Amino acid sequence: MNAGPVTAAELARAGAALAAESARFAELGWMRGTSGNLSVVLRDDPLRLAVTASGRDKGELVDQDVVLVDAAGAAVADQPSPGQRPSAEAGLHARIAATTGAAAVVHVHVLAPVLAAERWPDGLVLRDLEMLKGLGRAAHDDEVTIPVVPNSQDMTLLGDRFARVHDPGIPALIVARHGVYVWGRDLAQARHRAECLEWLAAFALAAHGRPTPIG
């Protein structure tokens, strides 16, 4: 990863990538209204992330609809493209990136995992499903629990809840009655994992609909 301050050109490239991914999710109905946010890591030390700007229709973002934030999720004062406001949830993006080493985090309001969290508030337990490969797990004889945490408007509290349930082998978190956070080595992998999580949650709801392991 590059060293030194983030340049305007770097932030614009990140903004273009985030806009393209946001449009994909909006088309799926996973970023309704102005909801949801995506991020990519641009620097490790100190941590700097490019995050989609708050209050924008995620299906209509442009390169400039991006904010450079620090490890606390606050806009960097001398960012190369000032004037945009980050979502309050940028703090959790930064916490996840710092904890997991992920280079991209997606937060979307996909319905199936949120409904699954209503049925299984202690975690969505899955096994013996081919789609688990999409989360980097084995298709057979590998029990996977997608963690669920209660929602909060306090990102420090929500980050602490994430830290308590985080399993390095599970690249996803369900926030009850809210949405999901999924991460990966880049935006494409994070998106693929989000798509697989949606399928897995939909399967669990359709096949069982009761709080027992899938298998």
Side-chain angles (χ1 to χ4, degrees), residues 41-172:
V41 175
L42 298 181
R43 295 289 187 277
D44 291 321
D45 187 20
L47 185 64
R48 295 289 185 265
L49 297 89
V51 183
T52 48
S54 180
R56 300 288 194 273
D57 185 320
K58 299 308 189 297
E60 299 178 353
L61 296 184
V62 297
D63 300 5
Q64 290 75 35
D65 292 325
V66 64
V67 188
L68 187 67
V69 302
D70 61 19
V76 175
D78 60 347
Q79 64 169 308
S81 181
Q84 300 280 20
R85 181 170 57 90
S87 166
E89 294 162 338
L92 186 52
H93 281 253
R95 184 78 173 266
I96 290 171
T99 300
T100 67
V105 181
V106 305
H107 168 51
V108 290
H109 292 192
V110 57
L111 186 58
V114 178
L115 290 175
E118 289 286 292
R119 301 278 182 91
W120 299 285
D122 295 324
L124 173 59
V125 182
L126 305 157
R127 64 175 296 133
D128 296 335
L129 291 162
E130 191 74 16
M131 198 66 80
L132 284 170
K133 291 180 179 179
L135 299 182
R137 304 300 295 251
H140 301 289
D141 299 324
D142 182 13
E143 185 168 283
V144 176
T145 301
I146 310 298
V148 175
V149 297
N151 192 25
S152 175
Q153 302 307 304
D154 182 332
M155 289 304 110
T156 299
L157 176 59
L158 200 52
D160 290 343
R161 289 173 178 170
F162 155 71
R164 284 195 291 272
V165 300
H166 173 56
D167 176 342
I170 307 293

